[in-house]
């Protein structure tokens, strides 16, 4: 019979490849034609080669090996070692090198036995702790007002805090000098009103003036993480607590404060470390009776040219800072910061 198309049926030839008996040369003994450009040549690739494409390389075959990951870590480690670790190593080495030569613990013994070092250490610690406590209290109150008390310009104030973080510390101290300095605005108003020879505000040259300047400058460093934490607080919790008759103080204590603990821990730890290493505020207030560890390093190195003693104080300052940072990491993990 003839098919419906009008063409004669061509009998098909069954080959060994089609029957699954194994690949062999085509009928007639001819080899497959070479691939031609522009034509799909996938039919000329053996079936096993197509099936193994994309699989892991078999041992014994030539493969391109990727660069180990530790190689990519070498450039940043080299830069870090040259920029930071090498100068730090020189400071540590100099702290063990007395003026007489050699290597000994004599510079450490002399510094630890001096009254100036003990006073500077005590002043540094109490100023840092006092400024941190003040920043935590003031920053928490201000962040509460900005986040939960609507008032005109609240968003502008929140954005100004980000700008305030970029200010240098001496700029804030200079502003306080214009207000509370010996010839500042406050003393000027007092003398104009009372006719006195001088005003009563002279606290900027005391430890209390340094404490005020540090609290003023470092409070935004506590407010920034607090505002970020308050922005993620579910306001439904506040509404439910208020509907149940809870007073604002109870809402703050039972709802807001637990959510703010990680941010308080992060901001407080940062302020504590920065206050321990603060130099510009103490210098610009002109508080001659206030000597902190950074000021002692400056005095030993620049004024007295006692570089071993200066390096000893610097190593102690670094050790305290690193220890506090390690403590901050432990606390932050526990509170979930």
């Amino acid at each position: 019979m003839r098919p419906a198309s009008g063409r004669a049926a061509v009998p098909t030839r069954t080959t060994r490849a089609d029957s699954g008996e194994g690949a062999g040369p085509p009928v007639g003994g001819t080899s497959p034609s070479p691939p031609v450009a522009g034509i799909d040549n996938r039919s000329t690739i053996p079936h096993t080669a197509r099936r193994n494409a994309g699989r892991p390389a078999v041992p014994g075959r030539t493969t391109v090996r990727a660069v180990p990951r530790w190689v990519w870590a070498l450039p940043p480690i080299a830069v870090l070692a040259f920029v930071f670790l090498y100068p730090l190593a020189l400071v540590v080495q100099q702290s063990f090198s007395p003026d007489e030569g050699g290597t000994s613990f004599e510079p450490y013994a002399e510094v630890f036995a001096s009254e100036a070092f003990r006073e500077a250490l005590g002043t540094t610690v109490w100023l840092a702790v006092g400024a941190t406590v003040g920043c935590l209290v003031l920053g928490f109150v201000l962040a509460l007002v900005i986040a939960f008390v609507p008032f005109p310009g609240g968003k502008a104030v929140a954005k100004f805090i980000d700008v305030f973080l970029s200010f240098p510390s001496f700029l804030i101290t200079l502003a306080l000098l214009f207000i509370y300095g010996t010839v500042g605005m406050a003393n000027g108003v007092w003398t104009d009103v009372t006719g006195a020879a001088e005003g009563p505000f002279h606290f900027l040259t005391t430890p209390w003036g340094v404490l005020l300047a540090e609290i003023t400058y470092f409070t935004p460093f506590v407010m920034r993480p607090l505002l970020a934490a308050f922005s993620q607080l579910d306001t439904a919790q506040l509404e439910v607590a208020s509907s149940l008759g809870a007073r604002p103080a109870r809402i703050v204590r039972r709802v807001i404060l637990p959510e703010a603990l990680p941010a308080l821990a992060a901001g407080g730890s940062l302020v504590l470390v920065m206050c321990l290493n603060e130099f510009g505020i103490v210098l610009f207030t002109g508080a001659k009776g206030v000597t902190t560890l950074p000021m002692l390093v400056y005095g030993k190195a620049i004024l007295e040219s006692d570089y071993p003693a200066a390096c000893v104080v610097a190593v102690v300052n670094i050790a305290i800072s690193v220890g506090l940072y390690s403590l901050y990491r432990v606390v932050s993990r526990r509170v979930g910061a």
Side-chain angles (χ1 to χ4, degrees):
M1 293 181 60
R2 300 178 61 88
S5 59
R7 296 181 181 179
V10 179
T12 58
R13 180 181 299 174
T14 304
T15 62
R16 288 190 299 172
D18 296 331
S19 61
E21 297 180 2
V27 178
T30 60
S31 60
S33 59
V36 181
I39 301 178
D40 187 5
N41 299 311
R42 288 179 296 178
S43 59
T44 62
I45 302 176
H47 177 68
T48 55
R50 294 198 306 269
R51 182 178 58 188
N52 295 331
R55 294 186 178 182
V58 179
R61 296 183 180 180
T62 303
T63 57
V64 179
R65 295 184 178 181
V67 179
R69 294 183 178 180
W70 61 267
V71 175
W72 299 105
L74 292 179
I77 290 177
V79 173
L80 179 64
F82 179 76
V83 174
F84 177 74
L85 297 181
Y86 178 66
L88 182 60
L90 291 179
V91 172
V92 175
Q93 180 184 2
Q94 185 66 33
S95 67
F96 291 98
S97 303
D99 294 332
E100 296 79 11
T103 302
S104 68
F105 287 92
E106 182 180 351
Y108 283 87
E110 293 179 355
V111 170
F112 291 165
S114 64
E115 185 68 21
F117 171 76
R118 291 194 294 268
E119 291 181 357
L121 180 60
T123 303
T124 302
V125 171
W126 88 259
L127 279 176
V129 173
T132 302
V133 173
C135 290
L136 288 176
V137 175
L138 182 60
F140 184 72
V141 173
L142 293 179
L144 278 178
V145 173
I146 295 175
F148 299 108
V149 180
F151 62 92
K155 293 183 178 180
V157 173
K159 293 181 180 179
F160 176 74
I161 293 174
D162 296 334
V163 179
F164 189 90
L165 296 178
S166 63
F167 289 173
S169 60
F170 71 85
L171 183 62
I172 305 302
T173 308
L174 189 61
L176 291 177
L177 287 174
F178 279 122
I179 299 175
Y180 300 109
T182 305
V183 292
M185 296 174 54
N187 285 325
V189 172
W190 180 273
T191 54
D192 292 340
V193 172
T194 63
E198 59 180 12
F201 303 103
H202 301 285
F203 62 90
L204 279 183
T205 56
T206 67
W208 300 107
V210 177
L211 186 63
L212 174 63
E214 290 186 350
I215 292 176
T216 304
Y217 179 70
F218 290 114
T219 295
F221 289 87
V222 176
M223 296 176 61
R224 183 64 268 175
L226 281 175
L227 290 175
F230 291 160
S231 64
Q232 299 178 358
L233 183 64
D234 188 6
T235 56
Q237 300 180 16
L238 306 180
E239 296 175 357
V240 170
S242 179
S243 64
L244 294 177
R247 295 182 178 275
R250 184 178 178 85
I251 294 176
V252 171
R253 186 175 68 255
R254 300 296 297 273
V255 180
I256 298 179
L257 184 58
E259 297 292 333
L261 284 179
L264 283 173
S269 302
L270 177 62
V271 169
L272 182 61
V273 174
M274 295 177 69
C275 287
L276 284 172
N277 302 309
E278 180 57 39
F279 175 75
I281 289 179
V282 182
L283 182 64
F284 270 79
T285 54
K288 298 180 180 180
V290 179
T291 303
T292 59
L293 291 180
M295 288 294 296
L296 188 60
V297 173
Y298 173 79
K300 292 291 184 182
I302 305 301
L303 303 180
E304 302 178 15
S305 299
D306 189 356
Y307 295 106
C311 292
V312 169
V313 179
V315 169
V316 172
N317 203 356
I318 293 171
I320 295 175
S321 301
V322 173
L324 288 175
Y325 177 76
S326 302
L327 180 62
Y328 155 70
R329 295 299 301 174
V330 173
V331 173
S332 63
R333 291 193 191 101
R334 293 188 177 182
V335 300

